[in-house]
Amino acid sequence: MASVVIAADLGGTNLRSAAVNESGEILYRTNAPTPRPGTPAAVADLIGRLAEDCRANAGAEAASFGIAVPAILEASCGHIFISPNLPLLNGSCFGDLIAARTGLKISVENDANAAAIGEHWLGASRGTANSLCVTLGTGVGGGLILEGQLYRGSIGTAGEIGHICVEKDGLPCGCGSRGCLEQYASATAIARMARERGVSLPEGSSGSAAVYEAAKAGNADAADVFRIAAEYLGLALAGLVNVLNPEAIVIGGGAAAAWDLFSGPLTAELESRAFGPPTEGLRVVRAMLGDDAGLLGAARIALDGGGR
Ligand SMILES: [Zn+2]
């Protein structure tokens, strides 16, 4: 019988869960709002309930469970160091809570790392040995696939591309530093920069979709914001190209929808700063899996027998 695992992708607003087989087919999926305010135990309980629903509808026995979490964490034990966008998890032994709740073999991974694994397995960086995946959402997430494997670093915190400094005395960042890429190239930052330039956006809109709509409708200030974000991203990625010499850079997340506006300035900035030889064969491509990248990456980790 084909292997089936349970996967979950925990976001700041939504929890998504699915039963996935070894070909990457989603056999069943469900979702629920993330409990906020809440406790780590309440979130673990909801994850457990969605996992039970997925197991009951998977059509095959599933004993492994991969969970993508928006946090810097220790993947070996699921301990959360810090979750800037879901701070209720800070300091929790989240993997233990979910293991106790579900009785399944648990793997917990950073959500951007999971997205990188998903895109490498089934998406835009499939077939490459060395790739970077950058997710432009509420923050800027990053994941490194080196020699075909996720690079986690010595304690599991590697890949935080969003916290590369691009402005020495720039805006304060949730990580405690200032001038991080995340403050200039996330979907949140794109909306902020558009408002600063007088672009009128719907009340409460915090992502880049409304800015893109304004740009497509001919608002030059809105279009210029994507150029600025792309140049900051190109600046950070040029340094990474010089250090890591990847074959592909995959750009995903909500802001990637504005690909036509920022891929040009991004490539121009990158090529003007990085060494020539590593940029010649480099592909800078849009992510293919959309919102499912993290979910499928979490499934892949569970299929590979990560966790405990
Ligand atoms: Zn930062």
Side-chain angles (χ1 to χ4, degrees):
M1 186 184 286
S3 292
V4 174
V5 295
I6 308 302
D9 187 4
L10 176 63
T13 52
N14 255 296
L15 167 65
R16 290 143 24 85
S17 194
V20 181
N21 72 13
E22 62 196 352
S23 304
E25 290 170 304
I26 293 178
L27 307 171
Y28 177 81
R29 66 162 80 218
T30 183
N31 65 82
T34 303
R36 301 184 76 169
T39 61
V43 177
D45 186 60
L46 181 66
I47 288 174
R49 272 189 280 141
L50 264 53
E52 277 163 13
D53 186 15
C54 289
R55 283 185 90 192
N57 289 283
E61 189 55 36
S64 294
F65 187 14
I67 305 130
V69 180
I72 295 174
L73 54 86
E74 194 159 5
S76 62
C77 65
H79 174 78
I80 308 289
F81 293 119
I82 181 167
S83 175
N85 295 315
L86 200 55
L88 65 91
L89 296 181
N90 290 353
S92 66
C93 294
F94 200 52
D96 289 345
L97 287 172
I98 300 167
R101 173 66 178 75
T102 63
L104 297 170
K105 184 181 178 191
I106 301 297
S107 323
V108 182
E109 186 53 80
N110 169 271
D111 56 354
N113 283 351
I117 290 173
E119 291 289 342
H120 182 246
W121 180 25
L122 299 164
S125 48
R126 191 174 183 167
T128 65
N130 300 297
S131 63
L132 316 180
C133 185
V134 185
T135 308
L136 309 175
T138 307
V140 172
L144 317 177
I145 305 284
L146 301 178
E147 309 291 352
Q149 301 288 325
L150 177 70
Y151 181 75
R152 290 192 172 92
S154 55
I155 61 165
T157 68
E160 291 293 335
I161 292 170
H163 300 280
I164 293 173
C165 182
V166 292
E167 281 290 352
K168 178 175 168 289
D169 299 312
L171 292 168
C173 181
C175 70
S177 182
R178 29 191 341 124
C180 293
L181 176 64
E182 181 161 298
Q183 300 304 321
Y184 304 94
S186 62
T188 314
I190 286 166
R192 188 202 74 239
M193 292 191 292
R195 284 199 171 92
E196 287 168 357
R197 284 161 181 77
V199 178
S200 153
L201 301 176
E203 188 89 11
S205 138
S206 60
S208 55
V211 185
Y212 185 46
E213 289 303 316
K216 280 198 298 186
N219 186 316
D221 290 323
D224 207 39
V225 166
F226 285 101
R227 176 189 62 77
I228 293 163
E231 287 176 357
Y232 278 114
L233 187 56
L235 167 65
L237 291 177
L240 288 170
V241 166
N242 285 345
V243 174
L244 299 171
N245 182 203
E247 295 157 72
I249 297 176
V250 179
I251 314 281
W259 187 250
D260 57 325
L261 290 181
F262 77 68
S263 64
L266 163 59
T267 305
E269 186 72 19
L270 202 163
E271 288 179 350
S272 75
R273 289 180 180 270
F275 283 114
T279 58
E280 274 166 26
L282 175 68
R283 292 190 299 123
V284 181
V285 292
R286 195 174 162 186
M288 287 172 60
L289 303 180
D291 288 344
D292 285 339
L295 198 62
L296 290 167
R300 182 69 253 175
I301 295 164
L303 285 161
D304 287 343
R308 65 241 154 82

